[in-house]
Amino acid sequence: AVLLTQLALELSGAEASGKDGSDSGDLHAFYGDLLSSMHTLFQAVSGGIDWKNALDPLITEVSPAVGLLFDAYIAFMFFAMLNNITGIF
């Protein structure tokens, strides 16, 4: 969450001087501060938000490599939760 927040803030600061910033609305809404980033990641894992909605601003406005980081997080959390639930039963 900290890494995604840092990347979003650096991007919004870099684009503020070169663009009007209207394209980064979703990026700021999902990853504008630490609490928003944590909430977005929790929603993505728990089914509260579609992965595509949380992933698109990262791919289009930051970098496709950050999209792979998001995918790795989702995969890790998904398999970690599956293993924990399977271990309980």
Side-chain angles (χ1 to χ4, degrees), residues 1-12 31 37:
V2 173
L3 178 64
L4 293 176
T5 303
Q6 184 67 30
L7 290 170
L9 290 176
E10 285 181 10
L11 175 79
S12 64
Y31 305 103
S37 295

Side-chain angles (χ1 to χ4, degrees), residues 13-21:
E15 285 192 353
S17 61
K19 282 187 171 180
D20 61 353

Side-chain angles (χ1 to χ4, degrees), residues 12-48:
S12 64
E15 285 192 353
S17 61
K19 282 187 171 180
D20 61 353
S22 62
D23 292 341
S24 62
D26 285 340
L27 182 67
H28 184 70
F30 289 138
Y31 305 103
D33 57 15
L34 185 59
L35 186 60
S36 297
S37 295
M38 290 172 35
H39 191 246
T40 300
L41 292 176
F42 175 74
Q43 284 182 326
V45 170
S46 64

Side-chain angles (χ1 to χ4, degrees), residues 46-71:
S46 64
I49 189 172
D50 288 337
W51 296 346
K52 182 175 179 5
N53 294 342
L55 183 61
D56 279 346
L58 292 175
I59 290 176
T60 58
E61 298 178 35
V62 180
S63 170
V66 178
L68 290 174
L69 178 68
F70 181 85
D71 289 339

